[in-house]
Amino acid sequence: MTTRPEILYPLFAGLDTLKGVGPKTIKHLSSLNIEKPKDLLFTLPNSAVDRRKRKTLRDIEGKGVATVEVLIRKHVRPAKKSLPYRIEVEDSQIDFVLVFFRGDREYLERIYPVGERRVVSGKVEFYDGLMQMVHPDYAVKPDEVEKIPDMESIYPLTTGLTQRAMGNSVEAALSIAPEFPEWIDPGLKVREKWLDWHLALKSAHAPMEMRQLSPEHPARERLAYDELFAHQITLALARMKFKRGNGRSTAGSGVKRSKVVNSLPFKLTGAQIRTMREISADMENSIRMNRLLQGDVGSGKTLVAMMSLLIAVEAGGQGVMMAPTEVLARQHCEVLKPMAEMAGVKLEILTSRDKGSRRKAKLRLLEAGHVGILVGTHAVFQKDVVFSDLRLAVVDEQHRFGVRQRLELGKKGMVCDMLIMTATPIPRSLALATYGDMDVSILDEKPPGRKSVKTALINMNRINDVVNRLRVAISNGQQAYWVCPLVEESEVLDLSSAEERFRHLREALGHQNVGIVHGQMPAEEKDAAMASFQTGKIGVLVATTVIEVGVDVPNASIMVIERAENFGLAQLHQLRGRVGRGTAQSSCILLYQSQLSQGGLKRLQALRETEDGFKIAEVDLEMRGAGDLIGIAQSGLPKYRVADVEKHRKLLPIAQSDARKLLHDDEDLVSERGKAARILLWLMEQEQAIRLINVG
Ligand code: ADP
Ligand code: MG
């Protein structure tokens, strides 16, 4: 299994091994990410041209390609060079003309002899009320009509690459495509009326009817399923290896947790109770927990995390919580500390700021087991950080945490239960594709008493009105965030625009009222700025997107987002989630530059219409496609060639459960079907999976 099965060699050879594919074509194909014959196989036509012969062009509407038999009546040479050469023809019902720009008379008279019949095929259109066909693609004698294909596949191209070259290359690849043993569950295949791989591939490349181009057509669906299935096998393998690693039972008395719950000024939501139960059951189970906690902003994930950490401590062990940024780690620390004290648990924070003897002292306490809960940034996963008995790791707000990273934690000796928290709602289909190796808990209920946030779209040219409103608001003790635009992909530019806005707002609202926080600030300054906002010393906090994740300042009730059209939907939703946390009516002002694009407008409107993160995520997925939604490179979501998580969403749960079942029944993939699945993994370049099988 460490080497690619021989049956696949031809498909993974160079494109130059294909008959009739030359260096120029190879270069063009490469810019379409087509490097091997197998890439050609999975590059399906995105449309097709119907060239089936019809009796007449009479009933044709608008433009399109048509094929019809005609009688050639008359050649009309142009009076001027700039005019086209015309050939008048008639089909069984109407007259029309064939049009040639800069047509060569001798040539045309040979191909279209007057008084004879020809079958012509090409694009027809109305010009000056007359039907015409410009430069027919085909002109053949009636008894040679089979030279014209019924349907012609149209492939995605790149400059310089012709349909013909692409079509020939695909055909050459198809001609060497082997037949594989079947990896799909036989029952599923029958139920879905799927074809064998080889036949499905042929059919997908040579549609006979337009409906065969639809993603739901069985041939395409089967090929899409193969891709999803291969990826889900990888995830299922990762899941299996993960769970097998040092799982143990962690059960707590509940004493510390009750202390905290009893001290809360509110009641837990139903969703919180449910997810806590799911987590504690997982932890008590001797199989290692690998769970994703998904919840919209403000759904109360932090508390659920704290309860989970307390289980670890109640069981005599330790828990660690990792946040993606320093700001967030500090905030978690501040929120969790009082709870930890209530429960009688020592909580420490560890970030890259801890150096020298202070760091050593903390590490010593940790190793001795005196620290029950450690909160921090990536620093908590450094080599020299040793726990006495780590039982749970919580990773917060890490939607950038792919399967690979999850597996790597295991390698670092983090073989404890894992809880990943994300505030980015992900549509179910996408969650399956990205987090298919995890179990999922969803906090789908917000704490009661939350006021909805009023969202308004305001043109940038009315910025002064907004500033005036802010002046009134802060004089009434309200607080506001002012988020500055993402100018380019450049932090420097972001920064200069933020600093400029900062100066402007200081002038307008008074120096003592406005603060700024951004990514490049020294940590201490960042803390100081956050602190003066948190304690209400300043009314307006100008920020770049560093405040995006997780910051909790209940008194802040206004969120201004400048050039909102430049932000992604999910990001806007996150930012808006920073307000509406306290008792005041909150508002979110989306400032946009005029001449909003269609997409920009649609995004901002979606945001105005709903506060439901899952709905927003669905809109986002629809508008942007899955790749963009979480950033393919970081998400562990593969680039599918045929499958589309949106259009093939119903296949995802099937692929997931079938992959898990396959491995459950045959974990080393040695049965007939298991062996076939290995070929699939190689075919789909799931190297990760292949490695996982190899480590045994
Ligand atoms: P998230 O991390 O999911 O965005 P947080 O955990 O930061 O949400 O919670 C947001 C706010 O809601 C916090 O101030 C928290 O104290 C509060 N909160 C959490 N659970 C509840 C609840 N059941 N009832 C009322 N308020 C709650
Ligand atoms: Mg949070």
Side-chain angles (χ1 to χ4, degrees):
M1 191 62 197
T2 43
T3 54
R4 179 179 296 133
E6 234 165 277
I7 192 170
L8 289 171
Y9 286 0
L11 293 182
F12 281 77
L15 288 172
D16 55 345
T17 59
L18 291 175
K19 237 195 352 234
V21 180
K24 235 173 71 194
T25 306
I26 290 177
K27 215 174 117 222
H28 293 315
L29 289 172
S30 160
S31 66
L32 288 172
N33 279 325
I34 297 173
E35 311 283 354
K36 307 171 199 122
K38 78 145 192 92
D39 301 330
L40 278 167
L41 297 181
F42 297 128
T43 305
L44 299 184
N46 47 21
S47 84
V49 172
D50 184 346
R51 291 195 191 273
R52 280 172 298 182
K53 197 171 114 182
R54 56 176 83 218
K55 286 207 169 66
T56 175
L57 300 189
R58 154 164 273 161
D59 41 10
I60 279 201
E61 284 163 24
K63 282 189 183 181
V65 169
T67 305
V68 71
E69 186 174 321
V70 297
L71 173 66
I72 297 149
R73 299 234 315 247
K74 189 177 165 195
H75 282 234
V76 184
R77 271 177 272 153
K80 277 192 290 179
K81 261 231 168 91
S82 58
L83 294 173
Y85 190 106
R86 297 153 56 87
I87 301 175
E88 295 175 7
V89 300
E90 65 178 56
D91 68 17
S92 64
Q93 296 186 25
I94 63 163
D95 299 340
F96 65 96
V97 282
L98 309 179
V99 173
F100 302 85
F101 293 91
R102 276 173 294 181
D104 175 57
R105 176 180 149 208
E106 245 174 68
Y107 170 81
L108 290 172
E109 281 181 345
R110 190 155 35 89
I111 305 288
Y112 300 96
V114 171
E116 290 199 20
R117 309 188 75 84
R118 289 291 181 269
V119 179
V120 292
S121 181
K123 197 179 272 172
V124 296
E125 58 191 25
F126 282 99
Y127 185 77
D128 268 353
L130 256 176
M131 178 80 78
Q132 62 178 32
M133 183 182 285
V134 182
H135 297 252
D137 305 316
Y138 295 88
V140 302
K141 294 183 179 151
D143 58 356
E144 292 177 335
V145 65
E146 75 281 358
K147 283 189 181 165
I148 304 178
D150 281 351
M151 291 289 272
E152 233 171 45
S153 300
I154 306 292
Y155 289 93
L157 297 178
T158 176
T159 344
L161 185 65
T162 62
Q163 278 302 340
R164 193 151 294 188
M166 182 71 185
N168 288 341
S169 309
V170 169
E171 214 169 287
L174 280 170
S175 75
I176 59 156
E179 309 218 2
F180 292 124
E182 187 57 86
W183 45 74
I184 293 181
D185 172 65
L188 173 67
K189 192 175 165 196
V190 170
R191 198 181 76 210
E192 299 289 337
K193 305 196 177 56
W194 284 339
L195 301 169
D196 285 348
W197 181 78
H198 199 265
L199 286 173
L201 202 60
K202 278 202 159 152
S203 152
H205 278 286
M208 307 292 280
E209 295 170 87
M210 291 314 247
R211 64 175 185 88
Q212 277 177 269
L213 292 164
S214 137
E216 285 105 53
H217 187 271
R220 285 197 179 228
E221 226 178 43
R222 187 229 142 106
L223 298 174
Y225 184 79
D226 288 344
E227 249 181 327
L228 299 173
F229 185 48
H231 184 222
Q232 288 297 331
I233 294 175
T234 306
L235 293 173
L237 273 165
R239 174 185 158 89
M240 212 169 68
K241 302 282 164 183
F242 184 97
K243 295 214 162 191
R244 203 183 290 148
N246 299 22
R248 59 182 172 152
S249 167
T250 297
S253 60
V255 172
K256 293 185 190 303
R257 277 171 285 167
S258 331
K259 278 187 187 153
V260 172
V261 170
N262 293 336
S263 74
L264 292 172
F266 48 73
K267 283 205 338 232
L268 299 176
T269 66
Q272 282 171 323
I273 293 169
R274 192 190 66 234
T275 49
M276 284 173 190
R277 229 182 264 138
E278 287 165 355
I279 293 164
S280 64
D282 266 11
M283 291 178 70
E284 186 162 352
N285 194 314
S286 61
I287 296 170
R288 200 167 159 208
M289 175 166 80
N290 188 19
R291 187 169 279 277
L292 176 72
L293 176 61
Q294 244 201 88
D296 212 343
V297 272
S299 56
K301 288 183 294 297
T302 316
L303 187 58
V304 174
M306 182 62 185
M307 290 299 161
S308 315
L309 292 165
L310 286 177
I311 296 175
V313 181
E314 282 173 4
Q318 294 163 302
V320 62
M321 178 153 169
M322 180 175 95
T325 65
E326 183 98 38
V327 170
L328 213 59
R330 299 214 161 259
Q331 181 176 303
H332 277 319
C333 179
E334 264 152 48
V335 172
L336 299 185
K337 204 153 204 169
M339 292 195 238
E341 269 160 22
M342 196 66 68
V345 175
K346 179 154 177 62
L347 182 144
E348 256 308 345
I349 181 164
L350 186 74
T351 72
S352 52
R353 267 194 250 172
D354 294 300
K355 297 197 174 83
S357 57
R358 188 168 56 170
R359 179 179 159 86
K360 280 212 188 92
K362 284 186 182 179
L363 293 185
R364 220 176 302 120
L365 285 174
L366 189 70
E367 190 164 3
H370 298 316
V371 172
I373 297 174
L374 184 70
V375 177
T377 53
H378 279 84
V380 298
F381 290 143
Q382 268 153 15
K383 257 213 193 83
D384 59 337
V385 180
V386 183
F387 294 83
S388 80
D389 181 15
L390 181 65
R391 284 172 181 257
L392 172 69
V394 179
V395 180
D396 184 23
E397 310 281 8
Q398 279 291 37
H399 47 274
R400 295 173 198 87
F401 217 65
V403 191
R404 185 166 309 140
Q405 286 89 329
R406 276 174 250 149
L407 283 167
E408 266 163 19
L409 280 188
K411 283 190 212 129
K412 287 193 184 134
M414 291 281 160
V415 279
C416 55
D417 285 336
M418 286 279 289
L419 181 67
I420 310 263
M421 301 203 291
T422 171
T424 311
I426 306 173
R428 193 180 135 69
S429 55
L430 211 55
L432 276 180
T434 336
Y435 296 107
D437 60 326
M438 310 185 87
D439 300 302
V440 180
S441 290
I442 297 183
L443 278 177
D444 49 6
E445 181 187 348
K446 291 217 177 161
R450 285 250 158 167
K451 294 240 172 64
S452 70
V453 179
K454 272 199 196 134
T455 301
L457 275 52
I458 296 182
N459 195 310
M460 265 307 269
N461 62 25
R462 288 175 51 208
I463 188 169
N464 287 336
D465 297 350
V466 175
V467 174
N468 289 335
R469 266 165 67 182
L470 272 191
R471 186 176 301 112
V472 176
I474 60 176
S475 69
N476 290 332
Q478 285 176 273
Q479 286 182 290
Y481 295 98
W482 187 296
V483 178
C484 288
L486 294 161
V487 182
E488 302 281 315
E489 293 287 292
S490 146
E491 276 193 66
V492 182
L493 282 174
D494 286 356
L495 188 54
S496 77
S497 79
E499 278 173 342
E500 198 179 307
R501 181 61 64 213
F502 173 55
R503 281 192 292 274
H504 162 228
L505 290 175
R506 275 193 142 182
E507 290 304 317
L509 301 172
H511 280 237
Q512 71 289 357
N513 288 327
V514 186
I516 184 168
V517 58
H518 59 73
Q520 273 129 324
M521 256 162 134
E524 285 78 17
E525 277 180 42
K526 229 187 276 179
D527 287 352
M530 289 306 300
S532 55
F533 191 61
Q534 238 142 8
T535 54
K537 252 193 242 149
I538 54 172
V540 178
L541 184 68
V542 176
T544 55
T545 42
V546 288
I547 60 156
E548 184 185 334
V549 273
V551 174
D552 195 15
V553 181
N555 191 49
S557 58
I558 302 171
M559 169 66 63
V560 182
I561 305 173
E562 196 174 325
R563 296 294 306 264
E565 72 273 18
N566 290 358
F567 291 84
L569 252 183
Q571 213 174 9
L572 289 170
H573 176 66
Q574 288 291 317
L575 287 169
R576 180 171 59 183
R578 300 300 113 220
V579 296
R581 299 183 158 231
T583 46
Q585 170 64 55
S586 295
S587 56
C588 174
I589 295 166
L590 304 172
L591 283 171
Y592 64 89
Q593 200 84 321
S594 18
Q595 252 122 47
L596 260 185
S597 68
Q598 278 280 315
L601 182 67
K602 201 174 160 196
R603 280 212 300 275
L604 298 189
Q605 279 171 342
L607 208 69
R608 185 173 57 191
E609 269 144 40
T610 182
E611 279 186 67
D612 180 332
F614 283 92
K615 268 192 203 141
I616 289 172
E618 296 282 352
V619 174
D620 210 14
L621 177 59
E622 215 173 273
M623 287 185 67
R624 294 206 291 156
D628 270 5
L629 201 55
I630 22 184
I632 290 174
Q634 301 155 330
S635 65
L637 184 71
K639 275 189 186 149
Y640 296 124
R641 279 201 190 253
V642 179
D644 178 318
V645 284
E646 166 78 10
K647 297 191 177 103
H648 297 117
R649 62 172 78 188
K650 75 159 189 160
L651 298 180
L652 267 160
I654 304 174
Q656 183 185 60
S657 66
D658 197 28
R660 288 186 182 179
K661 181 167 179 309
L662 173 67
L663 287 169
H664 178 265
D665 298 346
D666 174 20
E667 73 178 65
D668 297 318
L669 296 180
V670 289
S671 66
E672 280 310 303
R673 202 183 148 211
K675 283 187 212 147
R678 286 171 176 243
I679 295 178
L680 173 68
L681 291 173
W682 277 105
L683 179 63
M684 296 298 171
E685 300 184 89
Q686 295 289 305
E687 274 89 0
Q688 226 177 20
I690 293 156
R691 251 181 282 125
L692 282 171
I693 299 177
N694 288 336
V695 296

